[in-house]
Amino acid sequence: MVVQPGVPHGAASLYLSAGVSFLQEEDAVFNAMLEGWTMQQRGGRNLRKDSVDSVVGIVKRFHGFTSEWPWQWTASTMDEWMMHLVSVRKLAPSTIRGYQHAVRGFCDYLCSEHYGWSVECEERFGTHPIQVCHDWNTTRHLQDYEGLPGRRPMTKEELQMLFDHADGEVGRRLEAGKKGALPAYRDATLLKVVYAWGLRANEAVNLDSTDFYRNRHAPEFGTFGMLQVRLGKASRRGPPNRRSVVTLRGWAVEALQDYIENVWPLVKVDNSNALWLSERGTRLRARELSERFATYRDELGLDKDLSPHALRHSYVTHLAEEGIDPTFVQQQVGHAYQSTTAIYTAVSNDFANKMMRQAVDQLVRPQLEEGPDK
């Protein structure tokens, strides 16, 4: 790397030649980003080498946790990492603040117009990095995770409102003669799939039609009895984890089958099995899912802190309320630890009261009937 007069330390142009492609494009750009950020901190800000190496290492760990590239990161991704650090790894608050500071600083660097990374990513990947660290997904996580009311599972009533609203958007566009009915249909189906199979946003947008297959133990679901998640969250420094998810919601199968038979053929790209495509013919991104969810959420007046990840929380919670075995739920969502599944669960008051009543009937009533001398 040769320093050029008038070009700031860490500028993308110093590490990537314009118009040059790489065999492993994502790896090359990410490594160039880290190299540029290192130089920006050491050469531009005159920070010590060990300090810079420490924050760069944290960003690498965040990348390993997400299995996503910086231009794909979302605030929900950061939210999930904070949950993991607090509830599973149980790191000290001071350590977590250091992790937050590192990721925030890296995103600030990538988003700054002075270094050119946003333009570089737009040209190469059709998207750009954003700041993923905010008050509601960083420092608040050092307190009780449920302390922020909006960071919660959605109730079944709220889910029905969301799905009805998304379905209604298709009809509204058709009746008004507006463009966008097919994308609206896609989004309505995608939201149902995220909830019905308990998926992360990145897992959902990367689904192919060939990821679904038969389950001989559930023939009623036809070719949609099982889902093979190909891009599950990776273990540390490992490749994306795969897992099989058992289909449990017949209504979701009907919605997905209708989409594949009647809408997908109209937007499908030749030689691709990608289920969710943008208007440009490229695979839908997690950020676009988040934006659509936020639009519908705000139109319905729901908590602004709700994100697509709340659908995954709702999946876990509703299965718990329906009495499904916790170990099975853990396997369905691909959690390595039962404690992670537990923090996703926030059963309703009605369910809690029902469980309390059962406990009273099973434990207290026999004691009362036996009397104090027994």
Side-chain angles (χ1 to χ4, degrees):
M1 188 274 294
V2 178
V3 176
Q4 303 172 9
V7 178
H9 293 282
S13 60
L14 299 177
Y15 303 92
L16 293 172
S17 299
V20 176
S21 299
F22 302 90
L23 291 177
Q24 300 292 332
E25 189 104 46
E26 292 87 353
D27 276 317
V29 173
F30 181 48
N31 289 331
M33 287 175 167
L34 293 176
E35 186 179 356
W37 191 41
T38 298
M39 183 55 65
Q40 184 258 356
Q41 293 179 95
R42 296 196 62 195
R45 299 174 57 194
N46 200 30
L47 299 180
R48 293 174 49 181
K49 182 180 184 301
D50 57 347
S51 297
V52 175
D53 290 346
S54 175
V55 293
V56 169
I58 290 170
V59 169
K60 289 180 178 179
R61 286 195 286 275
F62 182 46
H63 166 63
F65 177 85
T66 64
S67 300
E68 297 175 355
W69 305 105
W71 49 93
Q72 298 172 325
W73 292 346
T74 65
S76 295
T77 311
M78 185 67 182
D79 184 31
E80 190 173 353
W81 194 42
M82 288 298 99
M83 289 172 55
H84 177 75
L85 297 180
V86 171
S87 301
V88 177
R89 296 195 59 194
K90 301 187 184 303
L91 298 183
S94 59
T95 302
I96 296 176
R97 277 192 291 269
Y99 282 26
Q100 295 168 355
H101 177 76
V103 175
R104 189 192 300 273
F106 184 60
C107 290
D108 282 341
Y109 162 69
L110 296 183
C111 294
S112 173
E113 62 182 16
H114 299 296
Y115 303 107
W117 288 109
S118 291
V119 174
E120 194 71 42
C121 289
E122 282 285 359
E123 292 177 351
R124 293 176 182 271
F125 309 115
T127 186
H128 58 84
I130 60 172
Q131 179 57 260
V132 300
C133 296
H134 306 280
D135 286 344
W136 52 264
N137 67 355
T138 52
T139 54
R140 290 182 185 271
H141 274 270
L142 303 183
Q143 309 299 324
D144 182 6
Y145 176 73
E146 296 299 331
L148 189 60
R151 310 305 295 175
R152 57 169 178 79
M154 300 173 70
T155 66
K156 291 183 178 179
E157 291 75 15
E158 289 172 332
L159 279 172
Q160 192 63 57
M161 288 172 55
L162 175 66
F163 296 153
D164 288 346
H165 189 73
D167 289 339
E169 182 65 17
V170 181
R172 288 188 288 273
R173 289 183 178 274
L174 289 173
E175 291 175 4
K178 294 181 179 179
K179 295 181 179 179
L182 292 180
Y185 202 116
R186 172 204 66 201
D187 295 336
T189 309
L190 175 55
L191 290 170
K192 295 168 187 172
V193 168
V194 173
Y195 166 73
W197 280 272
L199 303 176
R200 300 179 179 91
N202 188 59
E203 296 171 347
V205 297
N206 281 290
L207 288 179
D208 287 348
S209 61
T210 51
D211 292 332
F212 291 90
Y213 56 97
R214 293 181 181 275
N215 179 358
R216 65 186 180 88
H217 299 292
E220 63 270 29
F221 296 136
T223 57
F224 299 92
M226 296 286 290
L227 169 61
Q228 179 72 32
V229 176
R230 292 175 291 104
L231 294 176
K233 185 188 298 180
S235 302
R236 188 174 180 181
R237 296 189 179 92
N241 286 324
R242 291 174 174 260
R243 73 177 187 280
S244 294
V245 182
V246 178
T247 298
L248 300 173
R249 308 294 186 188
W251 56 265
V253 169
E254 293 176 3
L256 179 58
Q257 186 170 12
D258 183 59
Y259 169 80
I260 290 178
E261 292 177 355
N262 299 308
V263 176
W264 190 51
L266 303 177
V267 298
K268 183 180 183 295
V269 175
D270 291 340
N271 302 319
S272 173
N273 290 314
L275 272 180
W276 322 109
L277 297 169
S278 70
E279 290 85 334
R280 303 180 302 277
T282 58
R283 193 184 289 273
L284 204 68
R285 300 171 299 195
R287 187 179 306 171
E288 292 168 307
L289 168 60
S290 296
E291 290 170 353
R292 175 59 65 185
F293 179 92
T295 297
Y296 289 162
R297 176 202 65 202
D298 294 345
E299 289 174 351
L300 290 169
L302 299 174
D303 297 328
K304 289 188 175 296
D305 296 310
L306 290 172
S307 71
H309 207 64
L311 299 174
R312 182 169 157 89
H313 285 231
S314 304
Y315 174 83
V316 172
T317 292
H318 296 162
L319 289 183
E321 292 182 344
E322 292 161 11
I324 305 300
D325 181 82
T327 301
F328 174 77
V329 178
Q330 178 186 349
Q331 294 171 346
Q332 287 280 93
V333 293
H335 284 157
Y337 304 98
Q338 183 63 48
S339 57
T340 306
T341 309
I343 63 174
Y344 273 52
T345 309
V347 297
S348 66
N349 288 334
D350 288 344
F351 180 77
N353 290 335
K354 178 181 178 181
M355 293 298 99
M356 179 190 68
R357 185 68 260 170
Q358 289 183 3
V360 169
D361 290 342
Q362 292 176 14
L363 301 176
V364 179
R365 190 177 300 279
Q367 297 175 22
L368 295 176
E369 292 175 351
E370 291 176 358
D373 297 331
K374 297 289 182 99

